[in-house]
Amino acid sequence: MTVATRQDAGFRDCFYDTEHQVKEHGGGIVYGWLIWEWPGILIEGEFHAVWQQPDGTLLDVSRKEDREKQILFLPDPATVFTGERVQNIRVPIGKNPRIREFISDNERWFQLFKAHHGNAVGEVVLAPPVAELRQKLHYLGQELLQSRESRRASAQFSRKQASR
């Protein structure tokens, strides 16, 4: 799916951005999962909203941290945004035991964040236990990024891209 970011879009605010797009241009909101792959490590589904244009085509109008122009989106008509944060879905694809630890710690971080900060969005000054776990996740993520699984998968991806 194509990304066409709204000029006024904020980071991690797809629900607000899409709602404004519908108000200004018609169409509707489609909820589902933005699918990310961390090669050799995991697949992650992030609850997301995209704009269904009046002609029925889907367009992502929210800002992306890495300025992606294309995304993989899986519509989920059974899930609706209610204002509550939704836990990401993570599935390991590598065998490194630290991947499961990373996933487990992310689930714990989500629970801690909700307990201390509710459904806050945007910039948040993290409570000490949330900040400490976030820092651990950062270092664990860096370790996984440098892992054999990640390097091997990235090299395979690069070779595939070069052969196209």
Side-chain angles (χ1 to χ4, degrees), residues 2-164:
T2 301
V3 176
T5 305
R6 288 177 56 88
Q7 291 292 330
D8 61 348
F11 283 110
R12 302 181 192 266
D13 214 356
C14 64
F15 305 107
Y16 173 84
D17 297 335
T18 305
E19 183 178 297
H20 277 75
Q21 189 75 11
V22 170
K23 285 179 184 173
E24 293 173 9
H25 302 283
I29 297 176
V30 175
Y31 298 108
W33 300 91
L34 178 57
I35 309 296
W36 300 102
E37 179 184 6
W38 184 352
I41 304 299
L42 59 84
I43 303 289
E44 184 167 15
E46 175 185 344
F47 190 52
H48 194 62
V50 298
W51 178 43
Q52 183 172 31
Q53 299 176 72
D55 70 2
T57 59
L58 300 179
L59 187 67
D60 189 348
V61 297
S62 62
R63 186 173 309 283
K64 303 290 173 280
E65 287 184 40
D66 293 331
R67 297 187 177 136
E68 290 90 353
K69 297 295 180 196
Q70 293 286 319
I71 62 160
L72 179 58
F73 178 76
L74 178 63
D76 182 358
T79 308
V80 177
F81 180 64
T82 63
E84 292 286 317
R85 287 179 161 268
V86 175
Q87 173 70 275
N88 288 4
I89 298 169
R90 296 174 186 89
V91 178
I93 55 176
K95 296 191 184 329
N96 185 331
R98 302 284 278 172
I99 297 169
R100 291 195 184 279
E101 179 182 351
F102 182 79
I103 290 170
S104 176
D105 283 351
N106 266 289
E107 291 168 356
R108 210 167 43 122
W109 183 87
F110 180 82
Q111 296 303 323
L112 268 176
F113 185 94
K114 283 201 58 118
H116 287 273
H117 304 289
N119 287 304
V121 294
E123 290 189 34
V124 176
V125 177
L126 298 175
V130 183
E132 290 167 13
L133 185 52
R134 192 76 189 143
Q135 186 169 8
K136 178 187 178 198
L137 282 165
H138 171 77
Y139 289 120
L140 186 51
Q142 291 298 312
E143 179 185 322
L144 288 171
L145 186 61
Q146 299 302 319
S147 71
R148 184 178 323 145
E149 292 94 338
S150 182
R151 289 194 320 268
R152 185 180 309 134
S154 293
Q156 287 173 346
F157 178 78
S158 294
R159 282 193 297 275
K160 284 180 185 176
Q161 292 297 89
S163 68
R164 288 186 175 176

